[in-house]
């Protein structure tokens, strides 16, 4: 067993999850593949969304995968960083908007 | 930025034997990844045989005004290997008698060969259907004596194919050297000005894209549309087609992969992306490559690995179409670069 929780080479084994549940694993990969096809959004736009979400959910495998995917699509580092900021802004916004609840509670309890 | 070729640096990877050893060791020796020959055997396509010869690709010298980091030729200003008029004459004799419809001149920077213009003029007289010159663009602006190249190309109805790794300056200069982007833009404008690459124009101008790093090229059509949009809106530049080409793990690109510790992962991605459909159309099945000194190879990559054709005929002076079409193609693990994804050749994808 590896001494750390994340091993970059585990990404290559992602597909193996179907071995322990073929039906659900298979359905997941079909769904995943379909989602990233060219649609109302381009595959390029979806790749940038995936990169931003990878950061928000802090998945090192997804970050590796979608940085490489972006490079293959000719996405620039400026575009990648802006996408990450968009994700980060929503994430911090989600934290900060809860402070309204704090303010409400504070006011309610205070004289 | 690189200033010298691997050969000049006396880097061990300037030795083709060393490259071939590397390509057969490690993950391929342990069986972690299958060898290219095993993949072909499982498809019943081993040994790999050529079809009819359609393209003659002639490398008229390794000298180049650039020293690109990914160059599979290990070209540069310090390379002195240059084709002589005598060897060119032997090539002309062969062009006359083969049925090849495409003549493809490459280098280095082919324009730097002092006999380049003579050769183009003589070859034009023979009348091949498609006469390609692979121009690195910056040569056109490098020196006054090259400024008229767009007119020269036009006069001889040359099909110009040029490299452009990205539509932004940063990525281009990183791969090809400082100032390359601006010089390339200037050259493209000069080519457009004489009619090259314009919509509907007979003067064909295509671009070659290859990734600037240890990753595979994305979808050719999507990249073409991004390149077209960006070059048109930022610089009013037009071109016809974009060919996306995978970097093969040889020479300077191999050196880069090893130095940046990307070699194994890169080989994994090539093998993972192996596309059986691409096998039947790899470049060596319809192309022969001729080196500056007249030797024959299955492709420009094998030329750089010094893997001469496996045939009784090995030199342009003794060219024999039937003997050559009967040969077996020499392969190694670098061939995975031609079969990844949509496949890759000097004319872009192959599927
Ligand atoms: S321009 Fe072409 S031949 Fe010259 S160094 Fe760059 S890749 Fe090599
Ligand atoms: S590297 Fe050359 S020999 Fe190998 S598949 Fe590609 S074209 Fe053929």
């Amino acid at each position: 067993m590896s001494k750390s929780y994340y091993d970059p080479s585990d990404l290559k084994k992602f597909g193996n999850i179907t071995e322990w549940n073929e039906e659900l694993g298979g359905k997941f990969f079909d769904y995943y593949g379909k989602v990233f096809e060219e649609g109302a959004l381009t595959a390029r736009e979806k790749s940038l969304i995936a990169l931003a979400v990878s950061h928000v959910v802090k998945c090192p495998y997804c970050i590796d995968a979608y940085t490489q995917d972006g490079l293959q699509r000719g996405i620039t580092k400026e575009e990648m960083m802006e996408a990450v900021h968009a994700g980060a802004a929503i994430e911090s916004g989600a934290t900060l908007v809860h402070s309204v609840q704090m303010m409400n509670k504070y006011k309610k309890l205070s004289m | 930025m690189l200033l010298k070729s691997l050969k000049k640096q006396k880097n061990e990877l300037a030795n083709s034997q060393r490259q071939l050893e590397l390509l057969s060791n490690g993950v391929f020796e342990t069986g972690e990844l299958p060898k290219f020959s095993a993949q072909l055997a499982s498809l019943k396509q081993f040994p790999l045989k050529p079809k009819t010869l359609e393209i003659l690709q002639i490398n008229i010298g390794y000298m180049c005004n650039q020293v690109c980091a990914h160059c599979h030729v290990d070209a540069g200003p310090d390379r002195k290997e240059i084709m002589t008029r005598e060897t060119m004459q032997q090539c002309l004799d062969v062009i006359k008698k083969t049925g090849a419809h495409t003549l493809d001149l490459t280098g280095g920077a082919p324009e730097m060969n002092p006999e380049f213009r003579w050769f183009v003029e003589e070859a034009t007289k023979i009348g091949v259907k498609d006469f390609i010159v692979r121009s690195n663009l910056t040569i056109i602006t490098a020196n006054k004596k090259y400024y008229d190249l767009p007119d020269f190309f036009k006069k001889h109805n040359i099909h110009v194919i040029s490299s452009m790794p990205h539509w932004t300056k940063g990525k281009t200069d990183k791969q090809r050297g400082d100032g390359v982007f601006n010089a390339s833009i200037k050259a493209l404008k000069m080519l457009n000005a004489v009619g090259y690459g314009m919509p509907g124009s007979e003067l064909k101008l295509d671009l070659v894209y290859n990734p600037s790093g240890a990753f595979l090229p994305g979808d050719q059509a999507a990249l073409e549309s991004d390149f077209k949009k960006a070059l048109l809106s930022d610089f009013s530049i037009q071109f016809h087609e974009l060919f996306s080409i995978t970097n093969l793990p040889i020479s300077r690109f191999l050196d880069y992969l090893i130095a940046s510790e990307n070699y194994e992962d890169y080989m994994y991605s090539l093998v993972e992306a192996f596309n059986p459909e691409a096998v039947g159309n790899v470049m060596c099945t319809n192309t022969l490559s001729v080196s500056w000194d007249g030797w024959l190879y299955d492709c420009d990559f094998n030329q750089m690995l010094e893997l001469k054709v496996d045939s009784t005929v090995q030199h342009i002076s003794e060219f024999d179409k039937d003997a050559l079409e009967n040969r077996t193609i020499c392969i190694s693990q670098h061939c995975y670069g031609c079969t990844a994804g949509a496949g890759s050749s000097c004319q872009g994808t192959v599927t």
Side-chain angles (χ1 to χ4, degrees):
Chain A
M1 280 293 282
S2 143
K3 280 253 161 55
S4 82
Y5 284 100
Y6 290 118
D7 178 348
S9 67
D10 280 351
L11 178 56
K12 293 192 192 87
K13 302 178 197 149
F14 190 14
N16 300 353
I17 66 158
T18 50
E19 285 169 14
W20 287 14
N21 189 326
E22 206 179 319
E23 191 199 354
L24 294 181
K27 282 194 154 91
F28 165 75
F29 283 114
D30 285 347
Y31 168 72
Y32 191 100
K34 199 87 202 140
V35 164
F36 284 99
E37 279 174 12
E38 200 88 17
L41 292 178
T42 62
R44 189 178 199 277
E45 286 162 340
K46 290 186 200 185
S47 175
L48 279 165
I49 294 172
L51 181 71
V53 176
S54 304
H55 282 77
V56 174
V57 299
K58 297 176 189 66
C59 170
Y61 300 111
C62 311
I63 294 173
D64 273 3
Y66 283 94
T67 306
Q68 173 153 350
D69 186 72
L71 277 164
Q72 289 179 192
R73 294 179 193 282
I75 295 174
T76 62
K77 59 180 190 297
E78 290 78 12
E79 291 171 302
M80 289 189 198
M81 188 54 99
E82 273 186 33
V84 173
H85 275 293
I90 294 297
E91 199 183 23
S92 37
T95 302
L96 287 173
V97 75
H98 284 82
S99 61
V100 178
Q101 185 186 338
M102 167 192 75
M103 290 160 81
N104 291 343
K105 188 71 180 175
Y106 184 98
K107 283 180 201 149
K108 180 147 188 266
L109 296 179
S110 304
M111 287 174 78
Chain B
M1 196 186 131
L2 279 177
L3 293 169
K4 285 183 190 163
S5 65
L6 296 177
K7 189 170 182 199
K8 183 86 182 178
Q9 293 171 36
K10 301 201 166 45
N11 183 308
E12 64 161 348
L13 284 186
N15 177 342
S16 58
Q17 206 45 47
R18 183 73 195 111
Q19 297 183 49
L20 286 165
E21 275 164 29
L22 271 167
L23 286 168
S24 291
N25 292 347
V27 279
F28 293 103
E29 197 178 29
T30 60
E32 206 176 318
L33 289 177
K35 290 201 166 156
F36 192 69
S37 54
Q39 294 272 28
L40 296 190
S42 71
L43 296 169
K44 304 215 173 355
Q45 301 223 46
F46 184 77
L48 192 59
K49 300 294 267 183
K51 298 184 264 193
T52 318
L53 174 69
E54 293 178 317
I55 305 172
L56 198 62
Q57 188 174 61
I58 306 181
N59 192 317
I60 63 173
Y62 303 157
M63 186 183 280
C64 190
N65 58 320
Q66 291 183 197
V67 195
C68 303
H70 69 292
C71 183
H72 75 271
V73 179
D74 192 26
D78 57 52
R79 296 300 298 260
K80 305 292 179 232
E81 298 89 338
I82 282 286
M83 188 179 275
T84 59
R85 192 183 275 216
E86 189 194 348
T87 309
M88 286 178 173
Q89 188 57 57
Q90 292 170 344
C91 293
L92 290 169
D93 296 342
V94 168
I95 300 160
K96 272 181 216 154
K97 58 181 190 206
T98 67
H101 56 61
T102 301
L103 178 61
D104 185 342
L105 296 195
T106 187
E111 302 92 331
M112 289 177 89
N113 183 314
E115 305 287 1
F116 169 72
R117 293 190 193 219
W118 174 82
F119 188 42
V120 169
E121 275 157 15
E122 294 303 309
T124 311
K125 289 181 198 155
I126 302 169
V128 279
K129 208 169 112 210
D130 191 8
F131 189 172
I132 299 169
V133 171
R134 293 188 187 263
S135 174
N136 69 17
L137 293 175
T138 59
I139 190 71
I140 299 177
T141 63
N143 185 303
K144 228 161 76 196
K145 68 177 175 194
Y146 299 121
Y147 290 176
D148 69 330
L149 276 170
D151 288 313
F152 177 78
F153 291 149
K154 180 177 180 174
K155 181 167 166 221
H156 298 285
N157 198 22
I158 297 297
H159 173 180
V160 179
I161 301 188
S162 296
S163 310
M164 194 84 188
H166 205 262
W167 56 85
T168 56
K169 184 167 177 294
K171 285 204 172 195
T172 303
D173 287 0
K174 211 154 183 181
Q175 181 190 86
R176 300 181 73 81
D178 288 338
V180 166
F181 185 76
N182 289 343
S184 304
I185 291 295
K186 196 169 159 206
L188 284 171
K189 286 189 171 169
M190 288 163 75
L191 286 163
N192 275 174
V194 300
Y196 268 103
M198 303 309 281
S201 169
E202 296 273 301
L203 297 168
K204 293 257 318 158
L205 171 62
D206 297 327
L207 296 185
V208 162
Y209 159 86
N210 48 338
S212 32
F215 54 93
L216 306 187
D219 178 67
Q220 180 168 280
L223 284 165
E224 179 180 288
S225 116
D226 289 340
F227 263 87
K228 285 203 162 163
K229 245 187 279 165
L231 289 180
L232 186 64
S233 74
D234 298 351
F235 306 102
S236 309
I237 285 171
Q238 313 216 53
F239 67 94
H240 291 136
E241 282 178 72
L242 181 92
F243 302 143
S244 86
I245 299 190
T246 304
N247 288 310
L248 262 66
I250 67 167
S251 193
R252 291 213 284 259
F253 190 67
L254 178 60
D255 179 55
Y256 153 78
L257 286 176
I258 293 172
S260 61
E261 293 179 9
N262 278 308
Y263 173 72
E264 264 186 29
D265 283 341
Y266 191 74
M267 294 315 278
Y268 258 98
S269 4
L270 288 181
V271 175
E272 248 166 44
F274 177 75
N275 177 1
E277 268 178 59
V279 173
N281 297 325
V282 283
M283 188 163 64
C284 47
T285 56
N286 71 346
T287 305
L288 263 179
S289 150
V290 188
S291 63
W292 63 278
D293 47 358
W295 295 101
L296 300 172
Y297 302 85
D298 301 301
C299 66
D300 205 48
F301 305 112
N302 283 5
Q303 182 182 141
M304 303 315 150
L305 291 170
E306 295 178 276
L307 293 167
K308 288 191 185 116
V309 281
D310 181 10
S311 164
T312 46
V313 168
Q314 290 196 312
H315 195 267
I316 190 85
S317 57
E318 47 190 24
F319 191 90
D320 179 314
K321 191 164 173 273
D322 294 334
L324 285 162
E325 284 185 355
N326 262 322
R327 76 192 193 275
T328 288
I329 293 166
C330 306
I331 54 165
S332 179
Q333 281 48 260
H334 64 296
C335 296
Y336 273 119
C338 294
T339 53
S344 173
S345 75
C346 287
Q347 335 283 327
T349 56
V350 302
T351 54

